[in-house]
Amino acid sequence: MTQATARAHPNIAFIKYWGNSDDALRLPVNPSISMNLDGLFTETTVTWDETLKQDTLRLNGMDTTGQALERVANHMSRIRKRLNIETFAHIDSANNFPTGTGIASSAAAFAALTVAAFAAADVNLTEKELSTIARIGSGSASRSVPSGFVEWYFAKTHEESYAKSIVPPDYWDLVDVIAIVSEQHKKTGSEAGHPTAKTSDLQIARIMNAYERCENIRLAILNHDFPTFAEIVEEDSNLMHAVMMTSKPPLFYWKPTTLTIMELVREWREEGLSVCYTLDAGPNVHCICERKDAETVRERLSELSGILDIKVAGVGGPAHIINKR
């Protein structure tokens, strides 16, 4: 038996990924930009075992079957094909943050799974190759492989749709103060939601301007331009959720507390705080701010009712191996 453990961070997208041009390969309809979240992570151990008759999955300390195991086993089949082996594996994975609530748990999970699986097989791939393979397991996982602030490229082929670092974690000291308003696993996950994007009349308009938003957000990051950054981040988040709400069937992820926080964040920015909001496919609100205002934002959120927990994360590094034997 050969074994490796990898750690990967979830990421929060500033320019969102929503909708595929190819669902099987998870080729996105537009480029996206994100940052990894330091301190939040998935740790996944892959043990290749020639005595196994099928893959096994232990998730957050519990043996898991059904849809979760099927999705992981399908990904492992792709990895086996790439490795040209037939051996099955034990997979033991755990998060230190809520799963399936809009904090990119699948992104961290499939990035860690991909990195651990190849390391356990003693095969070294480039970051680009690992990013493309992780992408097929979960689109956003491509962005959790590289470090810091990351761009995932739109492309029409598997090989060219990968993610790459724009700048390292210490380039801009941003902080994500995450208001957890629900820890329940969402009824419609991102995997099921992506195919519905094309049923919204607003999706074409969202895609059309996504390239310009990517260019402008990249420049805002490079120039440490928070006012421009904030306006684009909020606009892009609103556009994605507008597509979700106008899809067939519509997807409503916001809770009453979600909207309250969104409104307050804009008020706080008008008062002078460097903070903006963004949401993934879930009700929890990511309050992105500069480090100097992070504690003030956390304190203000802690005074609100309807918030179950608050997570604070700086900019995180790449997916990496923490143990191998």
Side-chain angles (χ1 to χ4, degrees):
M1 293 193 297
T2 55
Q3 180 183 94
T5 302
R7 175 180 288 184
H9 301 292
N11 63 77
I12 180 62
F14 306 139
I15 306 299
K16 304 296 188 183
Y17 154 56
W18 193 250
N20 297 312
S21 61
D22 184 318
D23 286 328
L25 291 176
R26 299 190 204 278
L27 297 177
V29 293
N30 62 269
S32 56
I33 291 179
S34 64
M35 81 176 196
N36 289 346
L37 300 179
D38 190 43
L40 306 182
F41 56 82
T42 298
E43 283 188 2
T44 300
T45 299
V46 172
T47 308
W48 295 108
D49 186 344
E50 293 182 357
T51 68
L52 288 177
K53 303 298 183 185
Q54 64 180 32
D55 295 315
T56 66
L57 174 63
R58 189 169 179 82
L59 187 58
N60 293 321
M62 298 182 63
D63 292 330
T64 303
T65 57
Q67 187 176 3
L69 174 59
E70 182 180 355
R71 187 174 177 185
V72 166
N74 286 340
H75 194 61
M76 295 300 291
S77 294
R78 289 186 286 268
I79 291 174
R80 274 187 285 274
K81 186 175 180 179
R82 176 67 173 75
L83 292 170
N84 195 27
I85 64 173
E86 297 181 356
T87 308
F88 292 103
H90 295 286
I91 298 106
D92 191 341
S93 187
N95 306 323
N96 73 341
F97 60 95
T99 302
T101 60
I103 314 182
S105 55
S106 64
F110 281 93
L113 176 62
T114 302
V115 171
F118 283 99
D122 207 24
V123 171
N124 294 317
L125 297 184
T126 65
E127 183 181 88
K128 177 180 177 180
E129 289 175 307
L130 289 168
S131 178
T132 61
I133 294 168
R135 185 201 73 233
I136 303 179
S138 171
S140 298
S142 63
R143 296 192 309 244
S144 282
V145 174
S147 180
F149 296 86
V150 174
E151 180 167 2
W152 173 18
Y153 300 118
F154 164 82
K156 295 183 178 180
T157 64
H158 165 70
E159 293 78 13
E160 294 307 313
S161 183
Y162 65 98
K164 183 178 180 180
S165 293
I166 300 170
V167 288
D170 61 358
Y171 185 84
W172 194 9
D173 198 7
L174 293 187
V175 177
D176 186 2
V177 183
I178 310 170
I180 309 294
V181 303
S182 174
E183 293 182 333
Q184 293 184 344
H185 201 289
K186 53 198 178 191
K187 293 181 180 179
T188 303
S190 297
E191 185 178 28
H194 282 288
T196 71
K198 59 182 175 288
T199 68
S200 168
D201 292 340
L202 303 182
Q203 175 72 337
I204 292 175
R206 188 191 74 84
I207 295 168
M208 188 180 302
N209 294 320
Y211 300 89
E212 182 180 357
R213 290 195 299 279
C214 266
E215 180 64 24
N216 290 338
I217 210 83
R218 190 188 308 110
L219 290 173
I221 292 169
L222 292 174
N223 295 328
H224 297 171
D225 179 357
F226 195 88
T228 300
F229 172 87
E231 289 298 330
I232 298 170
V233 166
E234 290 184 351
E235 177 189 14
D236 196 85
S237 178
N238 294 344
L239 281 167
M240 182 182 72
H241 281 270
V243 168
M244 292 171 172
M245 293 177 188
T246 53
S247 295
K248 301 175 182 61
L251 298 174
F252 296 99
Y253 287 115
W254 295 353
K255 303 290 186 184
T257 306
T258 303
L259 190 55
T260 297
I261 296 168
M262 291 163 63
E263 291 175 336
L264 284 172
V265 164
R266 290 187 68 84
E267 289 179 12
W268 297 343
R269 191 161 71 253
E270 289 176 1
E271 294 171 10
L273 292 181
S274 294
V275 61
C276 63
Y277 67 77
T278 187
L279 292 87
D280 279 344
N284 298 319
V285 185
H286 296 256
C287 301
I288 311 296
C289 50
E290 293 188 303
R291 175 74 66 179
K292 63 183 177 62
D293 291 326
E295 180 58 24
T296 300
V297 170
R298 190 199 66 77
E299 289 176 355
R300 291 189 180 189
L301 288 172
S302 69
E303 295 171 356
L304 302 178
S305 61
I307 295 179
L308 305 178
D309 193 11
I310 298 172
K311 302 285 187 182
V312 179
V315 189
H320 60 284
I321 296 299
I322 59 174
N323 187 41
K324 182 180 175 182
R325 60 182 178 85

